[in-house]
Amino acid sequence: MGPYESDDSTTARRRKAARYVVPVAVVGVAAGTIGLVPALADSGSPDLPKITAEQLIQKIAESDVQRLSGTVKITTDLGLPDLGGLEGALGGAGAPGGEGDGSAADPSAKLTELATGTHTLRVAADGPDRQRLSVLEDAAEYSLIHNGKDVWGYDSASNEVFHGTADDAGQHTGESPATPKDFAEQALKAVDDTTSVTVDGTAQVAGRDAYKLLIEPRQSGSTVGAISIAVDAKTGLPLKFTLTPASGGAAVVDAGFTRISYARPDAATFDFTPPKGAKVTEESEAGRPVTPQEEKDLAKGLEETFGKGAAGSEGAKGAGGPEGMKVIGEGWTSVAVLGTGESIPGGDEVGGDLGGFLDSLGDRVKGDFGSGTVFKTRLINALITDDGTVYAGAVTKEALVKAAESER
């Protein structure tokens, strides 16, 4: 669910997909990095008291909005390659059990769809135990409801229901980022001495006066151009988030409230009973092809790569990361290294003709490391060397090649 509550756990569908790194890792990392996103046109520049960037960041940190309802619009343009039937060719990576036995209402599958295209969401929250996020589709709707111990996912198009539970720490509700607050929290993790942070005027978003926080990498080699966060002048809640790529053009992702109210939502908003005839899948019934510890290690590595302190406390080459992963560089030009010369996870399943197909999606490169293929999006790029090492980050192709050469 994730609008106002984070969680380290994910469901089986994502665990299965996490096994594949050529080039599905590009899709997965890009989806996770939506945490840096978005933009809607400003409507006026209100006259507000002066504020420093440090004060504005503090205002965001101290924001304690517990109740709200509203509409969010997200448009994502990562420039991902068309993978066609690749998922099926990889043995059903998108399904919990790998054999198409997953639920169409599984939140880890539905919310990752926000990584492409334009979507309209309805969100509501009433404290840490009640949240609802609905993705509005053509003649259909997908809803994720957290109410106390229960987490429900409902896909009206298929009339399927996914049911899980949240533990006392609010586990299971932190799926993909969906609101400007989600995005802002992830982007602010990257703020360090390699970053320029300024206040860039004011704006009005969804009828609310807001300050604009501008975040820009100081380093060359990053694919991130700038991030703009519109912050509610009264509540400190991020209302809009815009990430533009260093290459120019439209924002990679636009996400912002088009309507918002801080009034308490009706209690019935968070009620859910499976419709008659609906297929109900319990989370405990889903397959678990990858262990929770493996998933935790992967999440930790990505956070260390793209969040604050990505290169570890010393900022040294190779610092940080779980077993099997390390980080080269620091700040916005950090590069995650996976595999380090070992076979690619799932490598037996991506050889032969399929391997050639994957190569056709990227650019072949050579260097002191040997040769490999670079898979590109407008934000996240990954170099897969022929010996099975993966280098990935929000950096240019040249930066990936340089990182690979520094290891040889």
Side-chain angles (χ1 to χ4, degrees), residues 4-27:
Y4 305 97
E5 200 168 26
S6 63
D7 172 28
D8 292 331
S9 68
T10 54
T11 52
R13 190 182 300 264
R14 172 173 272 176
R15 293 191 179 104
K16 175 73 174 180
R19 297 177 55 204
Y20 301 99
V21 294
V22 187
V24 179
V26 178
V27 180

Side-chain angles (χ1 to χ4, degrees), residues 196-236:
S196 168
V197 185
T198 57
V199 177
D200 188 33
T202 64
Q204 192 170 79
V205 180
R208 304 286 301 183
D209 291 347
Y211 293 101
K212 294 193 296 183
L213 187 70
L214 183 64
I215 301 172
E216 297 176 291
R218 296 182 187 275
Q219 303 162 299
S220 61
S222 173
T223 56
V224 177
I227 297 168
S228 178
I229 306 171
V231 182
D232 192 309
K234 286 189 176 181
T235 68

Side-chain angles (χ1 to χ4, degrees), residues 21-52:
V21 294
V22 187
V24 179
V26 178
V27 180
V29 174
T33 319
I34 291 181
L36 301 176
V37 208
L40 299 172
D42 299 333
S43 55
S45 300
D47 186 13
L48 297 173
K50 297 292 185 181
I51 190 171
T52 66

Side-chain angles (χ1 to χ4, degrees), residues 104-192:
D106 184 336
S108 65
K110 295 299 294 188
L111 295 187
T112 54
E113 293 176 7
L114 300 180
T116 59
T118 297
H119 304 272
T120 299
L121 316 178
R122 283 202 301 257
V123 298
D126 184 7
D129 297 324
R130 290 183 172 186
Q131 296 130 17
R132 181 177 185 127
L133 183 151
S134 296
V135 182
L136 308 183
E137 302 170 339
D138 293 339
E141 180 176 314
Y142 174 78
S143 293
L144 182 60
I145 305 105
H146 172 211
N147 193 344
K149 292 288 187 180
D150 292 306
V151 176
W152 297 96
Y154 175 58
D155 180 48
S156 67
S158 62
N159 197 30
E160 292 192 37
V161 175
F162 184 91
H163 179 237
T165 58
D167 65 19
D168 293 337
Q171 296 295 307
H172 185 68
T173 56
E175 301 294 345
S176 296
T179 71
K181 179 177 184 290
D182 295 330
F183 303 145
E185 288 177 345
Q186 294 191 34
L188 289 173
K189 292 177 183 178
V191 173
D192 57 16

Side-chain angles (χ1 to χ4, degrees), residues 183-347:
F183 303 145
E185 288 177 345
Q186 294 191 34
L188 289 173
K189 292 177 183 178
V191 173
D192 57 16
D193 57 6
T194 68
T195 312
S196 168
V197 185
T198 57
V199 177
D200 188 33
T202 64
Q204 192 170 79
V205 180
R208 304 286 301 183
D209 291 347
Y211 293 101
K212 294 193 296 183
L213 187 70
L214 183 64
I215 301 172
E216 297 176 291
R218 296 182 187 275
Q219 303 162 299
S220 61
S222 173
T223 56
V224 177
I227 297 168
S228 178
I229 306 171
V231 182
D232 192 309
K234 286 189 176 181
T235 68
L237 180 74
L239 299 174
K240 184 180 71 171
F241 200 99
T242 306
L243 181 143
T244 53
S247 58
V252 171
V253 183
D254 296 341
F257 280 95
T258 59
R259 180 185 64 81
I260 188 170
S261 169
Y262 293 114
R264 169 177 271 175
D266 190 296
T269 302
F270 310 102
D271 292 338
F272 180 78
T273 300
K276 184 177 180 180
K279 175 187 175 183
V280 179
T281 300
E282 294 290 336
E283 180 182 18
S284 60
E285 298 172 359
R288 292 289 186 267
V290 177
T291 68
Q293 185 59 47
E294 289 172 328
E295 178 68 17
K296 182 178 180 181
D297 286 347
L298 178 62
K300 178 181 176 183
L302 293 177
E303 179 179 353
E304 291 179 353
T305 303
F306 301 108
K308 185 176 180 180
S313 59
E314 299 297 325
K317 179 175 115 175
E323 183 178 355
M325 176 186 287
K326 64 178 179 178
V327 176
I328 299 174
E330 61 179 342
W332 297 88
T333 56
S334 297
V335 174
V337 186
L338 303 90
T340 58
E342 299 176 0
S343 60
I344 298 174

